């Protein structure tokens, strides 16, 4: 199964050059070699059909009626040894705390702008900066309840942050479902590993939400606000609501009366204290943002301003995960925490600066260029894979408004084996780690490993054919039998 | 519980019940054609009774000149034009379940989801008339599985009670409709009237899976009066109108903890009156007012109860002042 496998100068998370398994992957690798390909195939099909039967799907809007798809699941997990995880965990908490401090600062005193660490116009002109919420003191000054930080590993295997998602990061449910299917369909793979459990995380999640309630609520009513069943992440929403035991509501289920939010129950109105919303800022309240939004609740922002309801994640968080602001996160860590960043950024050019623009325009065929307002792998230029025409068309786009673009060197994303019926292929992966604010910052052990199942492809996004893997954070290193 | 959630739960069971009833009606019709002593008399016109029970004659007439085996089956099982086709009702039920999947047991969601997926697949494959009874059998089994999971896993709280109300109101209304359509059939126009009559009422009883229970009460003597009594007034048979209305009422009483408040007064009264009428009247009194008139009025009262449920619990898109 591994005979045609190539490490090929990329950083492979399972195999070293020469195809020898890394220490912490050795028992798993041995197990893989023991199981017959037909057996793997039939279990692979079992796993996929399990996802379908359970309706663990996301919606793709390629045609008029969205079609439901399951995210392809690959059973070779990403395995993270304990020391590697501890380092990562500390680095991510540090980053999270700095980003949170930044948000609180830009919506209050704006010291970081006054001190000239970040250009003021970059912040105040950002489309996700909302003056409507300036000056509001949030409970525990927590603007971020859940962050999804996307990590990659470079050629040397060093982790780097690719993107901070501080608005509505999705995918938490898949972390759990991948684990459930893995345990159900491939139980013996766990034999020689002690993998950190995910189960107690839900009670953590619930108490984190409760701890962010407005001051006087001792036993707050918490709801998850979803755009509804037709939203592509609806499964994620209903899963989180079910497991944390909170009510799943839509905008039409909520109503504002006398600066309080209520939900419409079969027995009348009930007061709501905390809203974990999965609706974008612009759609939350037609009185303050988009008038045409039917998803939100008229008057909601006024209640938020009065301090009578908590909205998680905070409104206006997009200013901190903006692709241009990203460049300055290491500076934020130094500025607010007086520490050196433990997890690095990917080198990033801001095209608003002439010298950097000039360099990028000269090297388009080597770089990845992204629009600062796009997400999900859309509207980006992957220089090395683009044709001459595509590059020229993109150049024209950039020149129209250079400050809306950033560029990064092509990152040689690390790879992991993925199952392809008769063999294993090396496919690129990244990792979304979920981090929570509350009484204290907390990192979920593991996360969502996304894999570009199309060989050679660098796009791991689920809407573009990416798949998922289970992520194992080890309690301790596995017992390796046989001589090293 | 959110009003929207209560609404979804209520319609979830109504739609599963509707699908099951449709499947049972088709299956019975198929068998009765095989068993009838005078097959020629089972004309295509008889298929039309099923269309009448489904309540969408106009839609069918627009599409088809004559009710033929295949077009009737297609219309009742899979047609997207018929809001009450089995596929449509299960699609709606599945959407309802999806909207409340954090409320219902995971097993229940999985069962309705795979029910839907299999049915959808079936609708895409070319089917023959011979397969229809298998399809009906499949629909009945999946519905029974669904109900079994509800009974075995759901706590008897609000969610369960809204589901109970939906299921039994649907069942009561459908029983009345079935009896109404079949009761006025002009059996005298057939030869061998006695045999035809026997088969006729036998299928009607099968349509609610009541033939076995009927025999235990009335012996294998099939008389229209007895069938009507069994359908309307039997207090023990779970698909009789009396039984179903009693169940709706019990669910309501449980939801309200036995109290009647101002907001639930109209619903309480409607349920009370209907239940009392069924209790007070003998079958002779009912038949004397005319079966058709009684059954029509019963269906109408079920609809009124449905409207009161919607209003009392703010189901659906309700604007709260």
């Amino acid at each position: 199964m591994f005979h045609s496998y190539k490490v090929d100068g990329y950083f492979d998370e399972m195999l070293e050059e020469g195809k020898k398994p890394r220490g912490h992957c050795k028992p798993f690798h041995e197990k893989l070699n023991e199981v017959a390909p037909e057996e793997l195939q039939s279990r692979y099909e079992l796993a996929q059909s399990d996802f379908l039967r359970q309706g663990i799907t996301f919606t793709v809007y390629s045609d008029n009626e969205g079609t439901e798809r399951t995210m392809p699941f690959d059973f070779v997990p990403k395995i993270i040894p304990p020391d590697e995880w501890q380092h990562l965990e500390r680095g991510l908490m540090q980053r999270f705390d700095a980003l949170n401090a930044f948000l609180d600062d830009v919506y209050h005193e704006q010291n970081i702008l006054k001190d000239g660490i970040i250009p003021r116009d970059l912040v105040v002109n950002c489309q996700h900066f909302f003056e409507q919420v300036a000056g509001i003191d949030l409970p525990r000054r927590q603007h971020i309840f859940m962050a999804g930080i996307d990590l990659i590993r470079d050629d040397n295997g060093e982790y780097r942050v690719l993107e901070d998602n501080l608005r509505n990061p999705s995918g938490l449910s898949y972390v759990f479902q991948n684990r459930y299917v893995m345990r159900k369909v491939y139980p013996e793979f766990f034999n020689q590993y002690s993998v950190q459990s995910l189960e107690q995380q839900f009670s953590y999640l619930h108490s984190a939400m409760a701890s962010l309630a407005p001051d006087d609520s001792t036993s707050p009513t918490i709801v998850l606000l979803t755009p509804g069943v037709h939203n592509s992440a609806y499964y994620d929403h209903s899963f989180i609501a079910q497991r944390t035991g909170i009510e799943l509501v839509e905008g039409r289920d909520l109503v504002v009366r006398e600066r309080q939010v209520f939900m419409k129950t079969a027995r009348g109105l009930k007061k709501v204290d905390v809203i974990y919303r999965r609706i974008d800022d612009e759609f939350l309240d037609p009185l303050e943002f988009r008038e045409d939004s039917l998803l939100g609740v008229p008057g909601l922002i006024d209640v938020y301003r009065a301090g009578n309801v908590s909205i998680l994640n905070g409104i206006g968080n997009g200013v901190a995960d903006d692709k241009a602001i990203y460049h300055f996160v290491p500076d934020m860590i130094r500025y607010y925490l007086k520490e050196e960043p433990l997890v690095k950024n990917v080198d990033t050019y801001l095209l608003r600066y002439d010298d950097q623009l000039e360099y990028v325009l000269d090297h388009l065929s080597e770089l990845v260029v992204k629009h600062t307002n796009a997400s999900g792998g859309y509207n980006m230029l992957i220089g090395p894979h683009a044709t001459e025409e595509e590059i020229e068309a993109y150049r024209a786009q950039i020149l129209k408004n250079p400050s809306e673009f950033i560029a990064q060197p092509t990152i040689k994303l690390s790879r992991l084996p993925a199952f392809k019926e008769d063999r294993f292929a090396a496919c690129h992966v990244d990792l979304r780690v979920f981090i929570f604010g509350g009484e204290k910052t907390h990192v979920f052990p593991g996360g969502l490993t996304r894999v570009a199942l199309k060989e050679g492809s660098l796009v791991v996004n689920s809407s573009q054919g990416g798949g998922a893997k289970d992520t194992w954070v080890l309690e301790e290193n596995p017992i390796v039998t046989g001589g090293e | 519980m959110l009003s929207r959630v209560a609404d979804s739960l209520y319609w979830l069971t109504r739609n599963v019940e509707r699908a099951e009833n449709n499947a049972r009606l088709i299956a019975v019709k198929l068998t009765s054609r095989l068993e009838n002593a005078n097959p020629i008399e089972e004309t295509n016109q008889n298929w039309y009774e099923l269309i009448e029970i489904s309540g969408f004659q106009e839609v069918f007439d627009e599409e088809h000149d004559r009710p033929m085996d295949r077009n009737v089956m297609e219309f009742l099982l899979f047609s997207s034009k018929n809001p009450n086709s089995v596929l449509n009702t299960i699609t709606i039920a599945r959407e309802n379940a999806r909207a409340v999947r954090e409320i219902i047991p995971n097993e229940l969601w999985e069962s309705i989801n795979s029910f839907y997926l299999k049915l959808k697949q079936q609708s895409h494959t070319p089917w023959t008339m011979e397969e229809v009874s298998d399809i009906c059998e499949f629909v009945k089994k999946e519905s029974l599985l669904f109900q079994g999971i509800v009974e075995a896993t759901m706590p008897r709280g609000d969610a369960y009670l809204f589901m109970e109300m939906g299921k039994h109101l649907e069942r009561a209304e459908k029983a009345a409709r079935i009896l109404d359509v079949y009761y006025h059939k002009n059996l005298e126009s057939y030869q061998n009237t006695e045999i035809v009559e026997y088969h006729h009422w036998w299928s009607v009883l099968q349509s609610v899976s009541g033939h076995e229970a009927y025999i235990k009460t009335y012996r294998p003597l099939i008389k229209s009066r007895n069938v009507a009594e069994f359908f309307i007034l039997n207090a023990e048979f779970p698909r009789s109108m009396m039984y179903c209305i009693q169940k709706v009422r019990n669910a309501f009483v449980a939801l309200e903890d036995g109290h009647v408040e101002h907001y639930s007064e109209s619903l309480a009264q409607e349920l009370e009156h209907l239940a009392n009428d069924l209790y007070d009247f003998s079958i002779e009194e009912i038949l004397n007012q005319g079966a058709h008139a009684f059954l029509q009025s019963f269906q109408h009262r079920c609809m009124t109860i449905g409207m009161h449920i919607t209003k009392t619990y703010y189901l659906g898109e309700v604007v709260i002042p």
Side-chain angles (χ1 to χ4, degrees):
Chain A
M1 296 285 287
F2 276 101
H3 53 270
S4 61
Y5 194 89
K6 288 196 181 68
V7 173
D8 248 1
Y10 285 93
F11 182 82
D12 194 287
E13 303 200 15
M14 180 173 274
L15 300 166
E16 292 169 16
E17 208 63 67
K19 296 201 271 189
K20 198 163 123 10
R22 296 179 190 279
H24 64 280
C25 295
K26 200 159 176 272
F28 191 88
H29 185 259
E30 277 168 7
K31 202 86 208 173
L32 273 187
N33 283 318
E34 281 169 22
V35 188
E38 308 78 57
E39 173 71 16
L40 288 174
Q41 177 62 21
S42 76
R43 291 216 235 160
Y44 172 79
E45 283 159 17
L46 188 64
Q48 308 298 341
S49 72
D50 198 67
F51 279 110
L52 188 64
R53 191 167 46 79
Q54 290 193 58
I56 303 170
T57 54
F58 63 94
T59 316
V60 188
Y61 301 99
S62 49
D63 40 35
N64 284 336
E65 53 171 322
T67 36
E68 284 177 52
R69 274 201 219 143
T70 58
M71 192 192 286
F73 173 71
D74 183 79
F75 60 79
V76 180
K78 176 184 168 77
I79 306 174
I80 307 176
D83 46 339
E84 187 178 305
W85 179 251
Q86 278 152 21
H87 173 78
L88 212 49
E89 199 179 16
R90 265 186 304 168
L92 292 173
M93 280 163 65
Q94 177 194 52
R95 192 173 177 102
F96 181 98
D97 291 342
L99 285 163
N100 192 58
F102 170 71
L103 281 165
D104 204 52
D105 188 20
V106 293
Y107 287 113
H108 288 90
E109 295 79 17
Q110 303 193 330
N111 289 326
I112 197 164
L113 308 185
K114 286 175 192 154
D115 291 344
I117 311 289
I118 298 177
R120 173 177 293 272
D121 71 291
L122 206 55
V123 170
V124 296
N125 295 334
C126 173
Q127 63 162 344
H128 300 295
F129 178 73
F130 291 113
E131 276 179 39
Q132 291 97 320
V133 295
I136 302 177
D137 293 331
L138 301 187
R140 297 180 189 277
R141 302 193 90 94
Q142 286 287 332
H143 293 250
I144 315 169
F145 158 65
M146 183 201 283
I149 296 193
D150 293 340
L151 296 164
I152 53 129
R153 299 178 81 172
D154 64 16
D155 336 19
N156 302 317
E158 181 169 10
Y159 281 96
R160 285 172 185 260
V161 172
L162 185 63
E163 203 169 281
D164 306 288
N165 298 284
L166 309 178
R167 285 170 275 170
N168 287 315
S170 61
L172 190 67
S173 57
Y174 294 105
V175 176
F176 289 87
Q177 292 302 341
N178 290 340
R179 178 66 55 84
Y180 297 153
V181 160
M182 198 65 190
R183 284 209 182 275
K184 192 154 135 191
V185 182
Y186 310 95
E188 78 275 29
F189 285 151
F190 287 86
N191 275 353
Q192 274 164 290
Y193 288 94
S194 64
V195 179
Q196 281 203 37
S197 156
L198 300 172
E199 279 318 301
Q200 72 280 22
Q201 300 295 327
F202 289 110
S203 55
Y204 176 80
L205 204 55
H206 187 273
S207 50
M209 288 192 261
S211 77
L212 296 174
D215 301 337
D216 53 346
S217 323
T218 45
S219 173
T221 301
I222 309 170
V223 300
L224 193 154
L225 177 60
T226 173
V229 284
H230 300 296
N231 185 266
S232 60
Y234 180 74
Y235 173 69
D236 216 43
H237 306 163
S238 75
F239 180 85
I240 294 170
Q242 182 188 43
R243 291 310 173 97
T244 50
I246 62 174
E247 205 90 43
L248 182 66
V249 306
E250 296 177 19
R252 58 188 162 127
D253 298 322
L254 299 179
V255 63
V256 169
R257 290 276 180 283
E258 292 167 2
R259 301 196 106 186
Q260 301 277 6
V261 187
F262 295 90
M263 60 179 170
K264 302 171 190 169
T265 78
R267 302 177 197 289
L269 298 179
K270 182 167 193 238
K271 185 170 165 276
V272 170
D273 304 300
V274 179
I275 300 176
Y276 172 36
R277 52 71 181 249
R278 293 291 291 263
I279 292 180
D280 290 342
D281 292 342
E282 296 89 325
F283 295 91
L284 273 178
D285 182 349
L287 301 182
E288 303 264 348
F289 303 111
R290 290 181 57 147
E291 284 174 31
D292 59 338
S293 171
L294 300 173
L295 300 175
V297 189
L300 181 63
I301 304 305
D302 183 49
V303 183
Y304 182 60
R305 210 176 274 129
N308 292 337
V309 71
S310 293
I311 295 180
L312 325 173
N313 286 333
I315 296 168
N317 278 8
V319 67
D321 68 12
D322 181 86
K323 286 188 171 67
I325 297 285
Y326 164 87
H327 178 84
F328 298 97
V329 178
D331 295 326
M332 290 178 201
I333 295 170
R334 293 182 195 104
Y335 182 80
Y336 293 112
L337 309 179
K338 317 275 180 275
E339 293 172 10
E340 272 307 300
L342 295 170
V343 184
K344 286 185 188 151
N345 266 10
V346 174
D347 301 331
T348 304
Y349 304 99
L350 294 188
L351 276 55
R352 68 200 315 271
Y353 298 122
D354 285 344
D355 54 331
Q356 301 190 25
L357 172 67
E358 196 181 333
Y359 174 83
V360 169
L361 290 175
D362 286 346
H363 295 83
L364 279 180
S365 63
E366 298 157 27
L367 299 168
V368 175
V369 190
K370 298 174 185 172
H371 198 279
T372 52
N373 295 332
S375 67
Y378 289 101
N379 194 23
M380 58 192 249
L381 176 79
I382 302 175
H385 293 193
T387 64
E388 198 61 41
E389 292 83 53
E390 283 164 350
I391 291 179
E392 288 318 308
Y394 212 87
R395 184 192 304 276
Q397 255 198 71
I398 296 171
L399 286 170
K400 261 188 240 160
N401 205 342
S403 63
E404 287 180 2
F405 293 86
I406 60 152
Q408 292 169 333
T410 340
I411 308 137
K412 295 176 82 181
L413 294 187
S414 60
R415 309 200 298 190
L416 255 178
F419 176 67
K420 301 263 175 191
E421 285 188 47
D422 55 344
R423 70 200 163 87
F424 285 101
C427 291
H428 294 290
V429 291
D430 78 353
L431 173 67
R432 172 170 290 182
V433 182
F434 294 91
I435 305 156
F436 293 85
E439 274 177 277
K440 58 179 173 47
T441 309
H442 174 80
V443 185
F444 260 41
L448 182 63
T449 297
R450 298 186 298 180
V451 50
L453 288 169
K454 225 164 82 188
E455 277 169 81
S457 168
L458 288 167
V459 184
V460 294
N461 213 284
S462 54
S463 51
Q464 309 215 3
K469 287 166 172 287
D470 192 10
T471 312
W472 292 1
V473 171
L474 302 184
E475 302 263 15
E476 54 200 75
N477 280 307
I479 307 126
V480 180
T481 50
E484 260 296 282
Chain B
M1 166 171 299
L2 286 178
S3 301
R4 181 177 52 77
V5 168
D7 182 63
S8 292
L9 293 166
Y10 172 78
W11 285 106
L12 168 60
T13 47
R14 277 200 84 147
N15 278 293
V16 173
E17 182 66 27
R18 202 169 281 184
E20 188 192 335
N21 285 325
N22 285 338
R24 185 177 283 114
L25 280 165
I26 299 169
V28 169
K29 239 341 169 203
L30 284 171
T31 333
S32 93
R33 287 183 2 137
L34 297 176
E35 286 178 358
N36 198 308
N38 303 348
I40 307 144
E41 289 172 350
E42 281 286 332
T43 61
N44 279 329
Q45 193 50 40
N46 289 354
W47 282 118
Y48 203 70
E49 289 162 354
L50 298 186
I51 308 278
E52 287 176 288
I53 292 170
S54 87
F56 284 92
Q57 298 98 305
E58 281 167 28
V59 183
F60 183 84
D61 294 344
E62 251 172 54
E63 300 277 316
H64 307 285
D65 297 337
R66 287 201 305 143
M68 305 293 287
D69 285 3
R70 237 198 119 78
N71 61 27
V72 173
M73 290 303 107
E74 171 69 26
F75 185 76
L76 294 173
L77 288 173
F78 301 125
S79 170
S80 57
K81 302 252 166 55
N82 172 11
N84 276 347
S85 73
V86 172
L87 180 59
N88 259 344
T89 49
I90 292 307
T91 306
I92 298 168
R94 189 249 192 175
E95 279 308 300
N96 279 321
R98 202 149 85 102
V100 296
R101 65 177 290 181
E102 82 288 357
I103 305 283
I104 58 178
N106 202 40
E107 261 178 301
L108 191 64
W109 157 251
E110 281 189 32
S111 100
I112 189 80
N113 187 44
S114 52
F115 184 4
Y116 163 80
L117 293 172
K118 282 186 236 163
L119 197 64
K120 181 108 185 141
Q121 197 182 17
Q122 182 68 253
S123 75
H124 288 317
T125 48
W127 48 271
T128 61
M129 280 306 288
E130 284 71 41
E131 286 169 294
V132 169
S133 90
D134 285 348
I135 298 173
C136 293
E137 199 55 32
F138 156 76
V139 172
K140 283 195 286 178
K141 284 211 169 117
E142 289 289 327
S143 309
L144 292 172
L145 174 65
F146 176 88
Q147 290 174 21
I149 297 173
V150 172
E151 290 305 314
T153 61
M154 288 196 67
R156 269 43 178 174
D158 288 2
Y160 177 83
L161 295 170
F162 278 110
M163 289 168 87
E164 274 281 287
M165 287 206 287
K167 177 171 85 177
H168 285 102
L169 193 61
E170 177 70 26
R171 205 176 263 182
E173 209 180 317
K174 190 51 80 74
R177 195 180 267 271
I178 292 171
L179 192 59
D180 195 18
V181 169
Y182 283 117
Y183 207 82
H184 275 77
K185 201 171 161 83
N186 187 7
L187 298 172
E188 274 96 50
S189 68
Y190 291 87
Q191 301 169 355
N192 297 324
T193 310
E194 208 176 309
I195 299 171
V196 170
E197 194 177 0
Y198 180 89
H199 276 285
H200 175 73
W201 290 119
W202 188 245
S203 339
V204 176
L205 286 167
Q206 280 182 309
S207 305
V208 290
S209 282
H211 48 298
E212 286 156 358
Y214 176 91
I215 290 171
K216 293 199 169 61
T217 317
Y218 299 97
R219 315 285 159 72
L221 306 169
I222 301 199
K223 292 269 171 270
S224 61
R225 177 223 173 260
N226 294 351
V227 174
E229 185 178 63
F230 179 79
F231 251 76
I232 304 172
L233 299 178
N234 192 301
E236 283 142 20
F237 180 62
R239 287 172 182 275
S240 81
M241 286 145 62
M242 163 93 110
Y243 183 93
C244 291
I245 292 301
Q246 209 49 261
K247 279 288 195 178
V248 178
R249 195 169 165 219
N250 292 348
F252 166 74
V253 171
L255 260 176
E256 296 298 320
D257 267 341
H259 304 293
V260 177
E261 305 285 345
H262 177 67
Y263 67 90
S264 62
E265 213 177 295
S266 347
L267 175 57
Q269 266 177 20
E270 278 295 328
L271 278 167
E272 177 97 4
H273 288 166
L274 186 52
N276 285 347
D277 280 359
L278 291 171
Y279 191 76
D280 290 343
F281 286 134
S282 69
I283 191 64
E284 277 72 26
E285 286 168 313
I286 288 173
L287 294 177
N288 282 343
Q289 2 169 334
H292 181 63
F294 175 82
L295 293 168
Q296 285 285 317
S297 131
F298 181 87
Q299 287 172 60
H300 186 75
R301 290 167 86 176
C302 285
M303 268 163 58
T304 310
I305 289 169
M307 269 159 45
H308 283 303
I309 292 176
T310 300
K311 255 177 38 198
T312 305
Y313 299 106
Y314 313 105
L315 306 190
E317 295 289 342
V318 180
V319 181
I320 294 181

